[in-house]
């Protein structure tokens, strides 16, 4: 319940903060002129017009009228006589500041500045006396939030006032209405500053929605490392290194590596669980030479697999390829550093002199004539037109020497050839791009841009269409709102909106509603409400009602829980009392007596006699220490006497019967009683139960 209550309070505070906002309206008075030293009613001041000002800031009104100053008001001390420049002194500080802590700035305002005459040189007089009024100025403006001052001059009758004004956000408030909060912080909840738009800007080394996540050292492993401060790289268990990318092998691993923490992958030549066992001779002694591969065969022996060109047990002997006589047809084998070479006899060729060389006698030319060379040991084919190759075996493709560009295709017709170009290109090889803009297709001064087999017109303002030949209808998008009438502007000019009654703005987007107020002496003074102020008040009232309902629900739940705990405690107490009473009861089996001939009347008389002699005993007191009951026989003694009387009067056959006796049980009542009740209960055949209730 406490968590829900905290959550709801946070939401309400957030909503109120966004609605209310916080900013300051500043008014700087520069110069006031009253050259004739007259009041508003035309009467001259005596000896001079000691002047002070009353400033009233309120919501935007079409016709500014006096009334409540919703945004604040201030009265200055006497600032000068007649005409003067407003200067700072010990009693007045420029500029005049009117803070708006309960409203978001609406973007517009109404301002009333009144100049009053003060007969006293020190304190301003009451501003309710019309006879002391010097001049009255009022304006209504739209004003955006910013540091720039707006200058203004107001004249009325014989007076003139020069001043400037602006609206700025206070510290940590941003936005067009100063309703967005952004407070820099550098603690465990975040590390950021605020940019001019009021957005969070993380400090160096931090990231996240609220800059609460530190940026680790560059290169730090995301899986194996983390950090609580920027630039750190703290390794998780089993990893090490500057970037936590090196695993920790098993502490007892001697000749091994790891891919995962606590592994022990043995290096070559070592084995065992901890890589401490020497497995082969090859790894430690390297007996094989010249890049041979050593293989252990056990018990310190090995085998070397030699690279080509080497032989021997350790591959230390170079192989002589010519010993195998690889050259054929009488060729001479020559040993080289890396292999061998065959010097072939006349008429043979190839790596091993395996091919016989052709001559013109073998007719090697497919087309054309054969001509002998090198004294008949070689030949050359003279190819006719249209054929090529060593033996004139290839037919010449005429298009090979005529490459067509830009996707053109080579076409052969008889003995001629040419390039068939794609649309938009020309030239012998289709290398020229046809300029579609050469025909000047764009109208009204538009700019033509050539494309491949196409063009594009960039239209000037006021025209559209493929060739920019169609005038633009600026009213087509319907820019005017709230029933405004759109009028297309002249060439190069935007459309204009004619607004209906109660609407204003470039697109008729502002709605002005007259404020209904009680009749006043002056019918020209009409108050108008500020819709946003009313909505803020409504939201505040609804929020308070919701908060009170939640508090009542929480109180009811807590009261219900306390009542349940009290009932549970009382139930446990009753159960404990019932357990004590049950322990004092003797079961029916202990009270049974199977004796058909027992004289029950005798037992009942005995019990009645005992009950008459019993006195009231308070079992909650320690009766063993009470003097009153020292001489009284105990309950057990009386029961024994009763049993003896019954035994003396019983016949011998009954007295010595094998069946059990009929026992008398005393049942303690939960209430203190002055009497004992005896109950004789016959539960089964030939059985009786006698119970005494105390």
């Amino acid at each position: 319940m406490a968590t829900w209550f905290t959550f709801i309070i946070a939401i309400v505070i957030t909503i109120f903060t966004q609605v209310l906002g916080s900013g300051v309206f500043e008014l700087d008075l520069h110069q006031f002129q009253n050259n004739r030293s007259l009041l508003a009613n035309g009467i001259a001041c005596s000896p001079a017009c000691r002047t002070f000002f009353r400033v009233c800031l309120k919501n935007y009104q079409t016709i500014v009228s006096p009334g409540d100053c919703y945004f604040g008001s201030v009265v200055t001390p006497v600032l000068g006589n007649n005409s003067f420049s407003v200067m700072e002194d010990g009693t007045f500080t420029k500029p005049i500041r009117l803070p708006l802590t309960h409203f978001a700035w609406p973007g517009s305002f109404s301002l009333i500045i009144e100049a009053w005459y003060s007969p006293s040189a020190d304190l301003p007089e009451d501003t309710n006396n019309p006879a002391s009024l010097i001049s009255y100025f009022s304006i209504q403006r739209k004003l955006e939030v910013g540091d720039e001052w707006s200058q203004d001059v107001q004249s009325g009758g014989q007076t003139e006032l020069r001043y400037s004004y602006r609206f700025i956000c206070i510290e940590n408030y941003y936005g067009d209405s100063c309703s967005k909060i952004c407070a820099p912080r550098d603690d465990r909840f975040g590390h950021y500053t605020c940019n001019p738009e009021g957005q969070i800007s993380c400090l160096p080394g931090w990231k996240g929605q609220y800059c609460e996540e530190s940026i680790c050292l560059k290169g730090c492993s995301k899986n194996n490392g983390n950090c609580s401060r920027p630039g750190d790289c703290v390794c998780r268990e089993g990893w090490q290194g500057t970037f936590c990318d090196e695993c920790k092998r098993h502490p007892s691993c001697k000749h091994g590596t790891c891919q995962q923490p606590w592994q022990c992958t043995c290096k070559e030549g070592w084995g065992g669980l901890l890589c401490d066992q020497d497995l082969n001779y090859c790894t430690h002694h390297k007996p094989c030479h010249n890049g041979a591969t050593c293989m252990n065969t056990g018990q310190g022996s090995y085998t070397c697999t030699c690279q080509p060109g080497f032989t021997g047990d350790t591959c230390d002997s170079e192989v002589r390829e010519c010993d195998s006589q690889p050259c054929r047809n009488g060729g001479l084998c020559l040993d080289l550093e890396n292999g061998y070479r065959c010097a072939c006899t006349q008429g043979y060729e190839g790596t091993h002199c395996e091919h016989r060389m052709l001559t013109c006698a073998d007719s090697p030319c497919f087309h054309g004539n054969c001509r002998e060379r090198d004294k008949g040991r070689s030949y050359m084919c003279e190819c006719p037109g249209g054929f090529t190759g060593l033996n004139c075996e290839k037919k010449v493709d005429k298009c090979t020497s005529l490459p067509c560009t830009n996707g053109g295709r080579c076409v052969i017709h008889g003995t001629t050839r040419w390039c068939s170009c794609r649309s938009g290109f020309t030239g012998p090889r289709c290398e020229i791009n046809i300029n579609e803009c050469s025909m000047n297709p764009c109208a009204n001064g538009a700019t033509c841009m050539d494309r491949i087999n196409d063009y594009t017109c960039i239209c000037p303002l006021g025209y559209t269409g493929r060739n920019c030949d169609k005038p633009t209808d600026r009213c087509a998008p319907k820019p005017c709102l709230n029933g405004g009438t759109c009028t297309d502007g002249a060439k190069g000019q935007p459309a204009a909106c004619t607004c209906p009654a109660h609407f204003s703005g470039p697109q008729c987007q502002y709605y002005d509603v007259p404020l209904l107020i009680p009749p006043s002496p002056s019918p020209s003074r009409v108050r108008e409400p500020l819709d946003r102020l009313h909505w803020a008040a409504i939201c505040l009232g609804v929020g308070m009602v919701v908060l009170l309902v939640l508090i009542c629900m929480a109180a009811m739940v807590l009261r219900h829980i306390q009542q349940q705990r009290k009932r549970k405690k009382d139930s446990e107490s009753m159960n404990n009392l019932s357990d004590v009473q049950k322990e004092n009861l003797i079961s029916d089996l202990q009270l049974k007596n199977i004796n058909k001939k027992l004289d029950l009347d005798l037992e009942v008389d005995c019990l009645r006699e005992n009950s008459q002699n019993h006195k009231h005993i308070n079992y909650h007191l320690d009766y063993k220490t009470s003097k009153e009951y020292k001489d009284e026989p105990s309950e057990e003694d009386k029961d024994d006497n009763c049993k003896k009387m019954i035994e003396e009067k019983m016949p011998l056959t009954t007295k010595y019967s094998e069946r059990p006796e009929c026992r008398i049980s005393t049942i303690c009542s939960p209430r203190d009683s002055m009497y004992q009740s005896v109950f004789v209960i016959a539960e089964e055949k030939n059985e009786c139960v006698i119970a005494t209730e105390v």
Side-chain angles (χ1 to χ4, degrees):
M1 182 61 65
T3 303
W4 276 102
F5 182 75
T6 305
F7 177 73
I8 293 170
I9 290 298
I11 291 178
V12 172
I13 292 175
T14 302
I15 294 175
F16 284 173
T17 302
Q18 294 296 327
V19 171
L20 299 181
S22 184
V24 178
F25 181 88
E26 294 185 345
L27 175 66
D28 191 3
L29 301 176
H30 301 309
Q31 187 177 16
F32 180 73
Q33 292 184 0
N34 187 5
N35 297 327
R36 300 175 61 185
S37 185
L38 296 178
L39 299 175
N41 54 16
I43 300 175
C45 300
S46 178
C49 289
R50 289 185 289 270
T51 307
F52 68 94
F53 297 91
R54 176 181 179 271
V55 179
C56 176
L57 182 65
K58 58 196 306 183
N59 55 291
Y60 182 88
Q61 294 178 315
T62 305
I63 299 176
V64 181
S65 60
D68 294 336
C69 303
Y70 293 110
F71 294 161
S73 63
V74 66
V75 177
T76 69
V78 175
L79 302 181
N81 298 329
N82 297 336
S83 299
F84 56 89
S85 295
V86 180
M87 306 294 292
E88 292 188 9
D89 56 21
T91 60
F92 178 71
T93 302
K94 297 176 62 176
I96 298 172
R97 296 170 58 88
L98 296 172
L100 270 73
T101 57
H102 300 291
F103 306 98
W105 179 243
S108 60
F109 68 96
S110 295
L111 179 66
I112 299 174
I113 303 177
E114 299 172 346
W116 292 84
Y117 165 68
S118 176
S120 173
D122 298 330
L123 299 177
E125 293 294 322
D126 186 10
T127 58
N128 295 324
N129 184 8
S132 299
L133 180 66
I134 298 175
S135 59
Y136 174 90
F137 307 104
S138 64
I139 62 171
Q140 66 272 58
R141 298 285 190 273
K142 297 184 184 299
L143 179 62
E144 296 182 355
V145 176
D147 296 332
E148 184 177 355
W149 289 90
S150 297
Q151 306 291 332
D152 202 354
V153 178
Q154 293 290 325
S155 299
Q158 74 281 3
T159 61
E160 181 183 271
L161 176 64
R162 295 180 180 272
Y163 61 94
S164 59
Y165 57 88
R166 68 178 180 180
F167 189 88
I168 59 174
C169 299
I170 67 174
E171 185 180 6
N172 300 331
Y173 283 82
Y174 302 87
D176 296 337
S177 58
C178 297
S179 60
K180 186 174 184 179
I181 296 179
C182 180
R185 67 187 314 157
D186 188 10
D187 51 27
R188 63 191 183 96
F189 296 105
H191 308 269
Y192 56 84
T193 59
C194 301
N195 59 20
E197 288 74 27
Q199 302 294 332
I200 289 175
S201 178
C202 294
L203 296 175
W206 298 94
K207 63 179 181 178
Q209 183 179 3
Y210 297 101
C211 306
E212 73 281 3
E213 302 178 16
S214 57
I215 300 176
C216 299
L217 178 67
K218 185 177 181 180
C220 183
S221 175
K222 295 181 180 179
N223 297 326
N224 307 327
N226 53 36
C227 61
S228 57
R229 295 183 303 175
D232 288 350
C233 188
V234 181
C235 300
R236 292 187 173 90
E237 187 65 25
W239 298 91
Q240 60 185 351
T242 304
F243 304 110
C244 300
D245 54 355
E246 302 175 9
C247 60
K248 289 184 179 180
R249 62 182 184 177
H250 194 278
S252 301
C253 185
K254 292 187 177 181
H255 302 281
T257 59
C258 65
Q259 297 295 329
Q260 295 295 328
W262 319 123
Q263 284 184 345
C264 187
T265 304
C266 298
K267 298 179 181 179
E268 185 180 358
W270 298 94
L273 186 62
L274 302 176
C275 300
D276 54 354
Q277 299 178 9
D278 190 356
L279 297 181
N280 54 61
Y281 185 85
C282 296
T283 302
H284 306 104
H285 299 281
K286 294 180 171 47
C288 300
H289 303 284
N290 299 312
T293 302
C294 182
M295 297 181 63
N296 292 291
T297 58
Q299 299 180 358
S301 60
Y302 61 92
T303 299
C304 293
T305 302
C306 302
Q307 295 287 345
F310 298 94
T311 186
D313 292 340
T314 60
C315 301
D316 55 350
S317 300
E318 187 176 357
V319 175
R320 297 179 62 85
E321 287 86 355
C322 289
D323 292 344
S324 60
Q325 298 180 354
C327 300
R328 303 177 185 178
N329 299 312
L332 178 63
C333 183
L334 301 175
D335 281 315
L336 302 176
E337 183 177 356
N338 294 320
Y340 63 94
R341 184 176 66 83
C342 291
C344 301
T345 59
Q346 185 178 358
Y348 292 94
E349 63 181 352
T351 305
H352 300 96
C353 304
E354 70 275 15
H355 300 300
R356 188 172 66 88
M357 297 180 63
L358 297 177
T359 62
C360 287
D362 298 319
S363 301
C365 299
F366 288 85
H367 301 89
N369 299 323
C370 181
R371 186 167 61 86
E372 292 183 352
R373 298 178 61 185
D374 195 14
K375 297 180 181 181
R377 287 182 292 181
S378 63
Y379 68 95
M380 183 183 69
C381 293
E382 295 178 351
C383 301
F387 293 94
T388 185
L390 181 62
N391 296 317
C392 303
E393 74 278 7
K394 298 179 181 179
K395 189 175 182 179
V396 176
D397 184 3
K398 294 182 180 181
C399 286
T400 303
S401 60
L402 184 63
C404 301
T405 61
N406 296 314
R409 182 172 57 89
C410 179
V411 178
I412 300 175
H413 184 70
T415 58
T416 61
R417 58 181 179 171
W418 70 88
C419 288
S420 177
C421 302
R422 291 173 52 199
S423 179
F425 296 94
T426 186
R429 297 187 178 181
C430 305
E431 72 277 9
I432 301 173
N433 180 18
I434 298 174
N435 186 8
E436 284 80 7
C437 290
S438 60
M439 302 301 294
N440 296 324
C442 302
N444 297 311
T447 302
C448 181
M449 295 186 64
D450 183 36
R451 306 289 185 187
I452 297 176
N453 194 28
D454 196 6
Y455 64 91
T456 301
C457 293
I458 301 177
C459 301
L461 185 65
Y463 294 95
T464 184
R466 173 174 173 80
N467 297 323
C468 302
D469 53 352
K470 299 178 181 180
T472 302
D473 184 7
R474 297 176 181 83
C475 288
K478 297 181 179 179
C480 301
L481 306 176
N482 299 311
T485 303
C486 178
T487 304
D488 194 1
K491 182 178 179 180
Q493 298 298 324
C497 293
T498 302
C499 301
H502 304 300
F503 290 94
S504 62
Q507 296 179 341
C508 304
Q509 70 271 31
Y510 299 113
Y511 179 50
D512 301 324
V513 180
L515 177 64
L516 299 177
I517 59 175
S520 60
S522 177
S524 62
R525 296 184 177 182
V526 181
R527 296 178 54 191
E528 297 181 356
L530 180 61
D531 291 344
R532 297 182 182 178
L533 174 63
H534 290 177
W535 279 111
I538 292 173
C539 293
L540 178 63
V542 172
M544 294 300 295
V545 171
V546 173
L547 182 61
L548 291 175
V549 171
L550 293 174
I551 293 174
C552 294
M553 293 176 62
M556 293 176 64
V557 171
L558 292 176
R559 181 179 179 183
H560 181 68
I561 293 174
Q562 292 177 355
Q563 291 178 353
Q564 285 186 341
R565 291 179 177 175
K566 183 176 181 181
R567 293 173 182 173
K568 184 176 180 182
K569 185 175 180 181
D570 296 339
S571 177
E572 292 178 354
S573 301
M574 294 297 296
N575 291 337
N576 294 335
L577 180 60
S578 300
D579 293 339
V580 173
Q581 294 175 355
K582 290 179 181 180
E583 291 177 357
N584 294 329
L585 294 176
I586 301 174
S587 63
D588 295 340
L589 297 175
Q590 296 178 349
L591 297 175
K592 293 181 179 180
N593 181 19
I594 304 172
N595 190 348
K596 187 175 182 180
K597 299 180 180 181
L598 184 62
D599 192 358
L600 295 178
D601 295 335
L602 180 61
E603 293 179 358
V604 172
D605 294 337
C606 177
L607 292 174
R608 289 177 177 174
E609 182 180 357
N610 289 336
S611 62
Q612 293 176 358
N613 295 327
H614 285 175
K615 295 181 179 180
H616 173 65
I617 300 173
N618 190 349
Y619 286 93
H620 296 284
L621 299 176
D622 190 0
Y623 63 88
K624 291 183 180 181
T625 58
S626 178
K627 295 181 180 181
E628 182 181 353
Y629 301 105
K630 277 186 178 181
D631 298 330
E632 290 290 333
S634 66
E635 191 72 24
E636 294 179 358
D637 294 337
K638 294 179 180 180
D639 291 341
D640 292 338
N641 294 332
C642 182
K643 290 179 180 180
K644 290 179 181 180
M645 293 174 63
I646 295 171
E647 290 178 357
E648 291 176 357
K649 296 181 179 181
M650 279 195 306
L652 292 177
T653 57
T654 304
K655 184 177 181 180
Y656 296 101
S657 176
E658 295 180 357
R659 296 181 180 180
E661 298 179 7
C662 181
R663 300 180 181 179
I664 302 172
S665 175
T666 302
I667 302 174
C668 297
S669 174
R671 300 182 303 271
D672 295 335
S673 177
M674 298 177 60
Y675 304 99
Q676 290 182 348
S677 301
V678 180
F679 299 91
V680 180
I681 305 170
E683 292 186 351
E684 297 179 5
K685 188 177 181 180
N686 298 330
E687 293 181 340
C688 73
V689 177
I690 302 174
T692 303
E693 181 181 1
V694 180

